[in-house]
């Protein structure tokens, strides 16, 4: 999903690094969770996490954030298995503002890695999930806490604003 | 039957070959194979690009400072035009795209845009918008799709 040209020209939203989601070239970055319940359809969700311990030995000048493709049998399973609140980004390939959010989500995912897990869902690949949460405008972000949606907002926003929003949502529950 | 086997293996092979091609000229409908997102036709992209320029002028709106965004949305409109016959807004999720395309509310230019100059795709931006550039012309920029 790397849009290097877009990421390079957006100066107003993030810092200068071009941390795009790395292409899934190495199989070592793919993790499959085998659950005892084998569902016929496997869900591929793009989980954006800071995988510092998976970083290769060669020196990197870019951020360590990598897209990690995880296989879950359902979004519910992912939400249930997560030990942190989850920010879900509902997007579509041809949605401009959704593309803007790619580097923003990388940045926020890195800076808030202990506080929240970031997950992206392609609404065209998983329309049933989008229907379930009544997604309309894209991008839509839903913050899940303890498996339940507790905040929801639409539209592209800067890393600062997104961070603020996440923090204020997470504070409320405490 | 040798012929039957040959045909089967050819179609199997073609299926794989298509899946490894980066930008096939035609949109593919094989849902059970994971493919890279197919690109809209050049013709539709050009039609939607021209439409965007005309409509920006007519509505007094401007394109985003980041032309990558503009390009993505134009391609999204072209993709829907190819698939549905109408440029349905690419920045929305729909229960039934075909029905929506027929109904027309979200066909570009959508009703919110026509009535209030609201374009959440960030394609047509009013001058007071932080992300509005100064241009009503655009060229397609290359980018890597999701």
């Amino acid at each position: 999903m790397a849009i290097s040209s877009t990421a390079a020209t957006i100066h107003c939203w993030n810092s200068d690094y071009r941390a795009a989601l790395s292409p899934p070239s190495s199989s070592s970055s793919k993790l499959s969770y085998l659950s005892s319940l084998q569902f016929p359809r496997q869900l591929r969700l793009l989980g954006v996490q800071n995988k510092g311990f998976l970083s290769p030995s060669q020196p990197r000048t870019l951020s360590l954030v990598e897209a990690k493709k995880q296989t879950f049998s359902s979004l519910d399973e992912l939400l249930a298995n997560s030990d942190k609140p989850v920010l879900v980004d509902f997007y579509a390939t041809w949605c401009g503002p959704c593309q803007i959010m790619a580097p923003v989500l990388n940045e926020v995912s890195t800076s808030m890695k202990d506080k929240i897990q970031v997950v992206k869902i392609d609404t065209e690949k998983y329309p049933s999930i989008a229907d379930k949460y009544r997604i309309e405008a894209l991008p839509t972000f839903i913050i899940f806490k303890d498996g339940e949606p507790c905040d929801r907002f639409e539209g592209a926003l800067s890393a600062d604003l997104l961070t603020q929003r996440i923090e204020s949502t997470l504070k409320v529950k405490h | 039957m040798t012929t039957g086997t040959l045909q089967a293996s050819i179609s199997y092979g073609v299926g794989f070959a298509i899946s490894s091609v980066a930008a096939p000229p035609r949109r593919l409908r094989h849902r059970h194979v994971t493919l890279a997102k197919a690109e809209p036709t050049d013709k539709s992209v050009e039609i939607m690009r021209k439409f965007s320029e005309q409509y920006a002028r007519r509505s007094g709106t401007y394109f985003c400072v980041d032309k990558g965004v503009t390009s993505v949305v134009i391609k999204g409109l072209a993709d829907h035009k190819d698939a549905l016959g109408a440029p349905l807004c690419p920045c929305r999720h729909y229960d039934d795209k075909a029905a929506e395309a027929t109904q027309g509310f979200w066909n570009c230019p959508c009703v919110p845009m026509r009535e209030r100059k609201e374009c959440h795709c960030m394609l047509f931006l009013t001058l007071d918008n932080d992300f509005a550039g100064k241009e009503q012309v655009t060229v397609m920029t290359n980018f890597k799709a999701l």
Side-chain angles (χ1 to χ4, degrees):
Chain A
M1 163 190 159
I3 307 166
S4 47
S5 63
T6 306
T9 51
I10 301 176
H11 297 297
C12 39
W13 287 312
N14 56 356
S15 52
D16 285 336
Y17 74 92
R18 296 181 192 193
L21 294 176
S22 60
S25 50
S26 59
S27 55
S28 61
S29 64
K30 257 192 218 176
L31 291 177
S32 277
Y33 287 75
L34 298 175
S35 78
S36 54
L37 297 167
Q38 293 296 328
F39 287 77
R41 262 167 64 187
Q42 296 249 299
L43 206 66
R44 285 189 170 270
L45 298 171
L46 217 59
V48 181
Q49 291 185 355
N50 186 355
K51 303 309 291 178
F53 61 89
L54 276 184
S55 60
S57 52
Q58 64 263 35
R60 276 192 172 203
T61 52
L62 296 179
S63 159
L64 292 174
V65 173
E66 278 181 5
K68 186 177 75 162
K69 275 212 176 120
Q70 295 181 309
T71 308
F72 291 92
S73 52
S74 71
L75 175 63
D76 292 337
E77 193 193 332
L78 181 153
L79 292 173
N81 283 337
S82 177
D83 52 351
K84 291 179 284 199
V86 181
L87 171 70
V88 181
D89 167 25
F90 293 89
Y91 72 93
T93 306
W94 298 120
C95 159
C98 302
Q99 304 292 336
I100 289 174
M101 292 308 294
V104 172
L105 285 171
N106 281 343
E107 185 180 336
V108 170
S109 176
T110 311
S111 63
M112 300 188 76
K113 64 181 188 298
D114 297 324
K115 298 191 198 134
I116 196 159
Q117 179 184 0
V118 178
V119 168
K120 292 186 193 185
I121 296 183
D122 184 337
T123 56
E124 298 200 314
K125 288 206 179 77
Y126 302 106
S128 54
I129 302 182
D131 288 343
K132 176 180 173 184
Y133 291 102
R134 301 203 179 280
I135 304 299
E136 293 182 345
L138 299 172
T140 291
F141 300 95
I142 302 182
I143 297 177
F144 288 84
K145 223 184 167 297
D146 301 322
E148 295 297 321
C150 72
D151 192 13
R152 176 185 177 126
F153 45 101
E154 298 171 351
L157 65 177
S158 68
D160 288 339
L161 287 176
L162 180 59
T163 305
Q164 273 175 35
R165 184 74 186 241
I166 295 172
E167 282 180 346
S168 67
T169 301
L170 297 185
K171 264 198 205 93
V172 168
K173 288 292 179 174
H174 292 111
Chain B
M1 291 249 295
T2 329
T3 323
T5 317
L6 250 175
Q7 283 177 347
S9 61
I10 284 173
S11 61
Y12 193 63
V14 165
F16 269 110
I18 289 174
S19 69
S20 62
V21 170
R26 240 171 270 159
R27 196 177 29 81
L28 299 161
R29 289 195 173 280
H30 298 107
R31 299 266 170 98
H32 56 282
V33 179
T34 306
L35 300 171
K37 178 80 178 183
E39 296 268 321
T41 58
D42 287 343
K43 181 173 167 204
S44 291
V45 169
E46 184 54 17
I47 290 172
M48 295 318 300
R49 191 192 65 79
K50 284 218 174 75
F51 152 76
S52 300
E53 290 188 340
Q54 284 167 8
Y55 195 78
R57 279 197 303 273
R58 204 165 87 198
S59 61
T61 54
Y62 295 83
F63 294 129
C64 185
V65 281
D66 182 352
K67 288 294 161 51
V69 172
T70 311
S71 298
V72 170
V73 177
I74 289 175
K75 284 201 172 183
L77 292 169
D79 182 67
H80 279 155
K81 188 165 171 11
D82 285 339
L84 308 162
L88 200 61
C89 175
C91 305
R92 273 189 87 82
H93 171 69
Y94 308 94
D95 287 335
D96 184 338
K97 281 192 178 182
E100 292 280 355
T102 310
Q103 200 270 336
F105 187 98
W106 288 110
N107 284 345
C108 187
C110 64
V111 169
M113 178 63 202
R114 282 184 267 150
E115 289 185 352
R116 297 183 298 279
K117 298 202 179 163
E118 281 175 13
C119 175
H120 71 280
C121 287
M122 298 178 68
L123 176 59
F124 303 114
L125 298 168
T126 49
L127 260 180
D128 59 342
N129 191 302
D130 287 340
F131 305 118
K134 291 187 172 34
E135 291 174 11
Q136 292 172 323
V137 290
T138 189
V139 289
M140 300 305 290
T141 72
N142 275 336
F143 65 98
K144 202 158 180 275
L146 279 164

